[in-house]
């Protein structure tokens, strides 16, 4: 069966759904072309540090990862973890298949070209003898790495390397805390994941079936403003509506008789607020910052999620829950994380987000009032460090 197309539609349409008046074109400001840098940042923003996985998961055996569209191999030597471009310049075999023949080196599995982990220099060619003339004349690209928050961080940017602390929220640098986390690769471009995270509208509807929300009630709808505090964009609630009558349809509400706890619209409004979280004085529940870090601040703990670009169609989704306590309270939180939060929040709840990110298909798009959160985020990216990750060259080698 073929679908008839109205003759006045363009071949590459950016039309909204049919309306009684006919088909109205999407106005300027509702297509990604309004955000050219954002549009180009398919593979992420280059001049930032990214967490790429748990440090204790990296051993002497080389581990391949993909970051900003590029293949990288991580290798541990003692306390240090090194990151190299995962391609042997000889015949293009991934160095992640290689062996650890000598300390501080990795040897390609094919012909034994051996690279210095610190600088990527070709320091020996095992199948061409100690006097191999190509030795010292080749190298693979290396990337700066750090270890923070139990994770390996990699910097793929240009120019002077900023301290990794620039990318870590102050509260995680200045206070003691206990944490639990999950990291996995999910379907969807990193921008869909970031937009989903900061999206004002969806949690009230999509997540009203989540077990994490079983006893917590959210408003039916809000009026929201976005404010900037330091590096963060924050969703601030101007109006909260717990139920609404839709003429001719009925009442919509998230209230249920067994849901006793209203979710606070800002963390400081909880009945018992952790002193560290209270001192942050965050005016809203949800914040986002470059290059793609979301913060959801509850009165007692904070959830963070990083959207780390893997390639055009996949994002590394790093979740971390922190509680600013020491001693027994910290130990109890760790148990609670492993027994419940890990699968309730970092599993089933954010699994609903993964589902939506996977099936989002935009542009074209037609935004609505709560999407002020999405447009504010896109504007923030527009003002970011202008270096975006180029699409990979055909052989995947660095330029
Ligand atoms: S392909 Fe790596 S040594 Fe030959
Ligand atoms: Fe969500």
């Amino acid at each position: 069966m073929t679908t008839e197309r109205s003759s006045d539609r363009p071949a590459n349409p950016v039309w909204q759904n049919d309306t009684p008046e006919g088909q109205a074109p999407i106005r300027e400001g509702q297509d990604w072309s309004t955000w050219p840098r954002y549009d180009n940042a398919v593979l992420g923003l280059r001049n930032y540090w990214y967490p790429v996985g748990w440090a204790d998961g990296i051993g002497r055996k080389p581990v391949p990862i993909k970051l900003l569209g590029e293949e990288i191999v991580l290798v541990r030597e003692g306390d240090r973890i090194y990151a190299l471009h995962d391609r042997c310049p000889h015949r293009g075999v991934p160095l992640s298949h290689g062996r650890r023949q000598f300390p501080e080196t990795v040897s390609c599995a094919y012909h034994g070209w051996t690279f210095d982990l610190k600088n990527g220099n070709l320091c020996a060619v095992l199948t061409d003898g100690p006097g191999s003339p190509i030795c010292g004349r080749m190298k693979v690209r290396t990337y700066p790495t750090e270890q923070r928050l139990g994770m390996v961080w990699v910097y793929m940017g240009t120019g002077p390397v900023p301290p990794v602390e620039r990318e870590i929220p102050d509260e995680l640098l200045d206070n003691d805390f206990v944490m639990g986390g999950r990291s996995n690769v999910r379907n969807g471009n990193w921008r869909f994941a970031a937009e989903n995270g900061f999206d004002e509208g969806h949690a009230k509807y999509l997540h009203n079936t989540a077990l994490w929300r079983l006893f917590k009630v959210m408003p039916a709808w809000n009026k929201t403003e976005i404010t900037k505090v330091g590096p963060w964009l924050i969703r601030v609630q101007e109006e909260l509506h717990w139920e609404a009558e839709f003429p001719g349809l009925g009442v919509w509400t998230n209230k249920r008789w067994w849901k006793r706890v209203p979710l606070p619209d800002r963390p400081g409004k909880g009945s018992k607020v952790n002193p560290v979280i209270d001192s942050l004085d965050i005016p809203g529940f949800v914040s986002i910052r470059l290059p793609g870090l979301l913060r959801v601040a509850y009165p007692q703990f904070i959830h963070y999620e990083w959207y780390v670009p893997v390639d055009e169609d996949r994002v590394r989704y790093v979740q971390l829950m922190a509680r600013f306590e020491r001693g027994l309270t910290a130990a109890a939180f760790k148990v609670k994380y492993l027994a419940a939060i890990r699968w309730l929040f970092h599993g089933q709840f954010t699994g609903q987000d993964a589902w939506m990110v996977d099936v989002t298909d935009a542009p074209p798009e037609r935004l609505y009032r709560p999407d002020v959160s999405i447009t504010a985020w896109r504007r923030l990216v527009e003002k970011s460090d202008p270096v975006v990750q180029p699409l990979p060259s055909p052989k995947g080698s660095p330029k």
Side-chain angles (χ1 to χ4, degrees):
M1 197 178 94
T2 57
T3 311
E4 220 177 304
R5 177 189 276 180
S6 165
S7 59
D8 58 352
R9 285 190 176 195
N12 183 19
V14 281
W15 298 91
Q16 71 178 61
N17 291 337
D18 291 0
T19 66
E21 295 79 43
Q23 294 87 33
I26 290 178
R27 294 191 303 274
E28 203 185 341
Q30 292 175 320
D31 189 72
W32 284 20
S33 57
T34 310
W35 297 279
R37 182 172 300 159
Y38 194 65
D39 203 9
N40 281 334
V42 183
L43 294 175
L45 307 166
R46 208 169 162 100
N47 283 359
Y48 294 88
W49 287 91
Y50 289 96
V52 297
W54 303 109
D56 61 10
I58 310 297
R60 277 182 57 77
K61 189 170 160 5
V63 175
I65 62 157
K66 200 167 188 183
L67 177 63
L68 279 61
E70 191 168 314
E71 309 286 351
I72 287 178
V73 56
L74 300 174
V75 190
R76 176 184 287 281
E77 179 76 57
D79 291 340
R80 295 253 351 142
I81 293 174
Y82 297 94
L84 293 83
H85 181 62
D86 192 12
R87 185 179 188 276
C88 176
H90 179 213
R91 303 292 306 282
V93 166
L95 289 174
S96 51
H97 291 289
R99 296 184 213 163
R100 304 298 311 282
Q101 204 69 52
F102 304 107
E104 310 243 316
T105 65
V106 61
S107 299
C108 178
Y110 204 178
H111 309 93
W113 285 31
T114 297
F115 299 92
D116 188 325
L117 295 178
K118 293 190 293 302
N119 49 29
N121 288 339
L122 180 63
C123 56
V125 177
L126 304 185
T127 52
D128 195 26
S132 173
I134 199 167
C135 222
R137 297 172 61 188
M138 298 293 301
K139 68 184 298 177
V140 293
R141 185 182 287 182
T142 58
Y143 297 100
T145 60
E146 293 280 5
Q147 296 173 57
R148 295 287 188 284
L149 306 176
M151 294 184 281
V152 190
W153 296 68
V154 177
Y155 183 78
M156 295 178 65
T158 52
V161 181
V164 66
E165 285 78 12
R166 186 190 71 173
E167 257 70 275
I168 298 176
D170 290 346
E171 64 269 19
L172 294 176
L173 297 170
D174 301 340
N175 301 285
D176 290 329
F177 62 91
V178 60
M179 57 172 250
R182 289 186 101 158
S183 164
N184 61 321
V185 172
R186 294 179 167 188
N187 289 336
N189 187 260
W190 73 278
R191 294 169 300 185
F192 288 168
E195 290 174 354
N196 170 77
F198 199 51
D199 171 325
E200 168 61 38
H202 82 271
K204 307 169 190 72
Y205 196 69
L206 175 71
H207 294 310
N208 70 359
T209 56
L211 292 172
W212 175 253
R213 289 260 311 277
L214 193 57
F215 300 109
K216 304 180 191 84
V217 62
M218 282 193 81
W221 66 284
N222 299 342
K223 277 194 181 167
T224 305
E225 286 195 353
I226 309 299
T227 188
K228 182 118 189 298
V229 179
W232 297 101
L233 289 180
I234 304 178
R235 287 184 351 214
V236 180
Q237 303 308 337
E238 295 295 304
E239 283 179 30
L240 298 176
H241 298 269
W242 296 93
E243 58 183 35
E245 169 88 33
F246 291 86
L249 296 173
V251 172
W252 154 250
T253 179
N254 271 309
K255 283 185 175 168
R256 301 290 184 273
W257 66 264
W258 67 87
K259 292 194 180 204
R260 299 262 171 233
V261 194
L263 214 53
D265 57 327
R266 60 186 165 86
K269 258 173 77 174
S271 51
K272 254 177 65 192
V273 186
N274 172 277
V276 172
I277 296 173
D278 203 21
S279 71
L280 297 176
D281 198 22
I282 309 172
F285 186 49
V286 181
S287 329
I288 197 167
R289 60 184 275 183
L290 293 166
L293 164 60
L294 192 83
R295 175 177 72 180
V296 184
Y298 292 82
Q300 293 286 326
F301 43 78
I302 300 185
H303 162 82
Y304 301 89
E305 57 187 51
W306 281 265
Y307 314 110
V308 181
V310 172
D311 55 27
E312 292 98 314
D313 303 317
R314 291 179 305 156
V315 54
R316 184 177 298 278
Y317 185 63
V318 179
Q319 305 179 80
L320 192 150
M321 186 77 90
R323 177 147 189 181
F324 300 92
E325 300 281 359
R326 281 185 289 189
L328 272 181
T329 318
F333 178 78
K334 190 83 187 176
V335 171
K336 187 175 168 186
Y337 178 80
L338 293 172
I341 296 172
R342 182 176 164 79
W343 66 274
L344 275 178
F345 190 175
H346 286 178
Q348 196 243 359
F349 183 92
T350 63
Q352 294 181 322
D353 294 309
W355 168 37
M356 288 298 109
V357 169
D358 189 18
V359 297
T360 296
D361 181 19
E365 63 188 3
R366 179 66 200 252
L367 302 183
Y368 77 141
R369 185 165 56 176
D371 290 330
V372 62
S373 57
I374 290 180
T375 51
W377 156 249
R378 290 178 183 173
R379 273 198 297 276
L380 184 72
V381 175
E382 285 302 305
K383 287 189 228 135
S384 68
D385 194 316
V387 182
V388 297
Q389 170 73 357
L391 286 163
S393 54
K395 288 281 186 188
S397 56
K399 298 193 177 93

